[in-house]
């Protein structure tokens, strides 16, 4: 689990410029997929071999308050609660402002590891004047210019130095699958975890120290063990306030990284919201397995019964039935066509066992290996039936396909020219692989590599 580094500071001091410079490289290779978050406020970075996740709290929507001081305070509070290290950015051009002093007080009292960065120190004069920031009483200000890229290495050095010692990652590749329960606040994550813990045998409960924002529990279901990654855990201890919604997406994303299968909870009474789509996009992007759970289905059933009996208030629409809801899922989460959809009620334990069944089945699907001969047979006949179109007089040729990895199943296509591949043809090939081999409930990856020129040369 990567430590979390939060950037705080007044508007316009250069937080997002710094953030983009730090993760720009990674952003550029993010695939352009529907449902994925474009306006990223968090991303991974590394320096001297230490990896961490960076959050730009300035990008968080912390409510409507026009009061700048209050908005910054909310950012800082969240950073203090969630982050391992806080980078406080001030503006070397403007000097200390009242808001800076206010933030400095909060940070000093929190005792959180801190890096004070004086940005916009573009020239020697400003670098000298930055000594004024000693007055904040927060250790040494490090000068940088995010737009020029100078001094940012020193800031990174300081961040890495302030990080908690890198704990040996716990053995994460235990044989049993890891299942993360994710979703927006109030969709029923805690209720589902409680339902599972109430009906399945708990082998190891609340593994401490593995992460700071999730709780792991090993349970047994039908003779199979699985690790439950509970992202709701922290909220039971903590508070709910502005910005928690956004942080919950971040937390979900971090749990997704660690899981084999994500159980994505959706509140049936609210339909599919933008936030749900963001989390679903993160699951797909990470190529994890996924079960879509439409939770609180008991409420929908009750409403539909009212309508049938004529007890519903006039003008009230009848809620969708399962088939109609499935159509909505198909439309709104169309990048997850492979995900099973389960209608459930955590509160009454309705279909909770089915969720675990599905998660275990998907984890197994992810570990399947397709023999190379069979794979090539399927791809060859798919291409004969529906050949790729010509691009500027040239045609994609696939020489050879092999499954390079499991979890997620990853297929390498050795081709004449990867640029000749059209995304619709890639989708066609993926569908053909799924038709032949299944992989229900999990993303699979298709990689296209130019074939080596030297036929017999080593890789
Ligand atoms: P944020 O509101 O804190 O995220 O600030 P931004 O990153 O949006 O930057 C605010 C403005 O300051 C933009 O016009 C940036 O181009 C500018 N800026 C950011 N970093 C620097 C810097 O190091 N030097 C100078 N001169 N301008 C900068
Ligand atoms: P979390 O924030 O995602 O962990 O959500 P909680 O588990 O705390 O649930 C939020 C609210 O929804 C609570 O009041 C639960 O009792 C309620 N709830 C959760 N699951 C169900 C369900 O299946 N049916 C009904 N009727 N209410 C539910």
């Amino acid at each position: 689990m990567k430590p979390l580094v939060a950037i705080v500071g007044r508007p316009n001091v250069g937080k997002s410029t710094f953030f983009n410079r730090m993760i720009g490289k990674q952003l550029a290779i993010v695939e352009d997929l529907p449902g994925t978050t474009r306006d990223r406020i968090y991303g991974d970075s590394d320096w001297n071999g230490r990896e961490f996740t960076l959050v730009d709290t300035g990008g968080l929507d912390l409510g409507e308050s026009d009061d700048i001081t209050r908005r910054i305070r909310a950012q800082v509070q969240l950073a203090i609660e969630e982050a391992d290290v806080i980078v406080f950015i001030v503006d070397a051009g403007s000097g200390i402002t009242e808001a800076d002093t206010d933030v400095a007080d909060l940070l000093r009292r929190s005792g959180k590891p801190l890096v004070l960065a004086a940005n916009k120190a573009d020239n020697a004069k400003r670098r000298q004047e930055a000594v004024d920031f000693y007055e904040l009483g927060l250790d040494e200000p490090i000068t940088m210019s995010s737009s020029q890229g100078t001094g940012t290495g020193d800031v990174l050095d300081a961040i890495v130095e302030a990080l908690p010692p890198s704990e040996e990652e716990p053995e994460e590749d235990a044989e049993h699958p890891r299942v993360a329960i994710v979703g927006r606040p109030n969709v029923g994550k805690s209720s589902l975890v409680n339902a599972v813990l109430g009906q399945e045998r708990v082998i190891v409960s609340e593994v401490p120290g593995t992460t700071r924002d999730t709780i792991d529990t090993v349970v047994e279901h039908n003779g199979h063990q699985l690790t439950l990654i509970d992202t709701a855990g922290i909220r039971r201890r903590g508070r709910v306030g502005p910005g928690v919604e956004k942080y919950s997406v971040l937390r979900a994303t971090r749990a997704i990284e660690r899981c084999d299968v994500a159980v994505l909870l959706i509140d049936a009474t609210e339909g599919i919201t933008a936030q749900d789509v963001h989390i679903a996009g993160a699951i797909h992007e990470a190529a994890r397995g996924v079960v879509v759970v439409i939770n609180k289905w008991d409420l929908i059933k009750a409403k539909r019964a009212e309508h049938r009996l004529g007890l519903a208030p006039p003008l009230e629409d009848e809620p969708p039935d399962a088939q109609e809801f499935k159509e909505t899922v198909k439309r709104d989460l169309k990048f997850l066509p492979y995900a099973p959809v389960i209608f459930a009620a955590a509160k009454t334990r309705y279909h909770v066992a089915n969720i675990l069944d599905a998660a275990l089945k998907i984890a197994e699907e992810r570990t399947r290996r397709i023999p190379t001969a069979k794979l090539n047979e399927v791809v060859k006949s798919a291409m004969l039936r529906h050949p790729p179109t010509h691009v500027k007089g040239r045609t994609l040729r696939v020489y050879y396909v092999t499954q390079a990895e499991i979890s997620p199943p990853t297929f390498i296509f050795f081709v004449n020219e990867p640029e000749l591949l059209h995304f619709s043809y890639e989708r066609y090939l993926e569908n053909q692989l799924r038709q032949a081999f299944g992989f229900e409930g999990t993303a699979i990856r298709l990689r296209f590599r130019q074939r080596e020129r030297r036929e017999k040369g080593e890789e």
Side-chain angles (χ1 to χ4, degrees):
M1 193 67 159
K2 295 168 191 142
L4 192 61
V5 176
I7 305 168
V8 302
R10 289 186 289 116
N12 277 316
V13 293
K15 293 184 297 301
S16 66
T17 308
F18 177 71
F19 174 82
N20 287 330
R21 185 171 276 281
M22 293 304 107
I23 64 156
K25 221 173 33 215
Q26 277 83 352
L27 266 189
I29 56 164
V30 166
E31 289 172 73
D32 187 13
L33 292 164
T36 54
T37 340
R38 297 270 163 62
D39 50 339
R40 290 237 167 161
I41 52 157
Y42 54 86
D44 291 338
S45 191
D46 64 276
W47 184 251
N48 288 340
R50 278 308 297 275
E51 295 185 325
F52 53 89
T53 302
L54 203 60
V55 196
D56 175 10
T57 63
L60 291 168
D61 178 11
L62 297 165
E64 300 82 68
S65 176
D66 285 336
D67 182 342
I68 289 177
T69 311
R70 283 197 20 213
R71 275 209 327 253
I72 306 171
R73 271 193 195 155
Q75 280 175 26
V76 173
Q77 284 300 351
L78 277 164
I80 287 170
E81 275 171 41
E82 302 274 343
D84 296 291
V85 173
I86 298 176
V87 180
F88 177 25
I89 300 189
V90 290
D91 183 339
S94 69
I96 296 178
T97 70
E98 216 171 297
D100 290 336
T101 314
D102 196 56
V103 171
D105 286 343
L106 284 172
L107 291 174
R108 207 181 312 107
R109 266 182 279 139
S110 78
K112 271 265 161 174
L114 180 83
V115 174
L116 174 60
N119 191 40
K120 307 197 188 178
D122 304 335
N123 51 47
K125 180 165 170 286
R126 284 199 180 168
R127 280 193 290 275
Q128 272 158 25
E129 286 167 0
V131 296
D132 290 351
F133 290 106
Y134 270 109
E135 263 176 51
L136 293 172
L138 293 174
D139 208 359
E140 182 191 353
I142 302 172
T143 54
M144 68 172 179
S145 168
S146 289
S147 52
Q148 297 171 0
T150 50
T152 50
D154 297 335
V155 173
L156 282 164
D157 282 342
I159 291 173
V160 167
E161 203 169 300
L163 288 175
S166 65
E167 48 188 271
E168 276 303 306
E169 276 290 315
E171 234 351 272
E172 292 248 84
D173 39 16
E175 326 75 76
H176 55 260
R178 296 182 303 275
V179 177
I181 314 280
V182 298
R184 293 183 298 117
N186 279 317
V187 291
K189 296 182 297 297
S190 314
S191 306
L192 179 60
V193 169
N194 289 335
V196 171
L197 300 187
Q199 73 183 28
E200 309 292 340
R201 195 158 81 89
V202 176
I203 310 287
V204 185
S205 82
E206 306 215 343
V207 183
T210 40
T211 77
R212 36 171 292 113
D213 51 10
T214 57
I215 292 173
D216 293 0
T217 308
V218 181
V219 300
E220 193 174 279
H221 174 69
N222 287 344
H224 298 278
Q225 294 195 355
L226 56 94
T227 299
L228 210 59
I229 303 174
D230 170 14
T231 55
I234 197 109
R235 209 203 56 178
R236 287 202 289 268
R237 290 178 244 136
R239 61 194 255 291
V240 184
V244 166
E245 178 98 347
K246 279 278 170 67
Y247 265 102
S248 71
V249 175
L250 173 67
R251 185 173 300 142
T253 311
R254 281 153 65 78
I256 289 161
E257 271 177 29
R258 299 180 48 231
C259 79
D260 297 299
V261 180
V263 172
L264 172 64
L265 260 65
I266 292 186
D267 186 332
T269 64
E270 296 191 12
I272 298 181
T273 69
Q275 210 78 261
D276 297 326
V277 176
H278 277 182
I279 300 176
I283 300 170
H284 179 67
E285 205 180 317
R288 288 341 195 228
V290 58
V291 185
V292 174
V293 173
I294 311 302
N295 192 35
K296 309 194 188 179
W297 197 243
D298 55 320
L299 296 177
I300 299 290
K301 283 210 276 196
K303 265 263 177 292
R304 290 183 59 81
E306 276 184 18
H307 273 268
R308 258 195 318 277
L309 299 170
L311 300 173
L315 300 177
E316 191 185 90
D317 284 338
E318 184 171 351
D321 65 12
Q323 198 47 48
E324 286 162 348
F325 211 111
K326 267 195 178 162
E327 294 299 320
T328 309
V329 174
K330 237 194 203 137
R331 191 189 61 227
D332 291 353
L333 306 182
K334 60 171 171 289
F335 49 95
L336 292 179
Y338 48 82
V341 179
I342 294 179
F343 295 86
K347 204 168 166 181
T348 65
R349 296 192 188 170
Y350 171 69
H351 281 172
V352 165
N354 302 40
I355 297 171
L356 298 182
D357 289 342
L360 284 169
K361 174 85 178 32
I362 292 167
E364 204 179 302
E365 284 287 293
R366 286 171 62 78
T367 60
R368 283 188 34 221
R369 279 184 195 279
I370 308 301
T372 303
K374 188 92 190 99
L375 192 57
N376 282 278
E377 206 177 284
V378 165
V379 170
K380 200 168 171 188
S381 91
M383 293 190 70
L384 277 174
R385 247 177 296 127
H386 180 51
T389 48
H390 305 266
V391 178
K392 290 186 193 140
R394 300 204 306 276
T395 314
L396 178 79
R397 293 182 58 194
V398 175
Y399 300 118
Y400 182 72
V401 191
T402 185
Q403 182 175 356
E405 280 172 60
I406 55 167
S407 302
T410 304
F411 301 92
I412 313 278
F413 288 65
F414 292 95
V415 302
N416 55 340
E417 284 176 67
E419 305 79 57
L420 296 177
L421 177 75
H422 193 265
F423 72 88
S424 62
Y425 202 71
E426 178 173 352
R427 196 166 301 156
Y428 168 71
L429 290 173
E430 173 169 347
N431 287 337
Q432 294 299 307
L433 290 183
R434 286 184 182 280
Q435 257 174 38
F437 306 117
F439 297 117
E440 205 212 342
T442 181
I444 61 175
R445 279 182 165 151
L446 277 57
R447 297 268 182 262
F448 294 83
R449 297 247 177 86
Q450 185 138 25
R451 192 179 65 167
E452 290 292 301
R453 284 274 147 80
R454 261 174 284 129
E455 304 274 294
K456 286 187 179 142
E458 64 275 74
E459 261 284 274

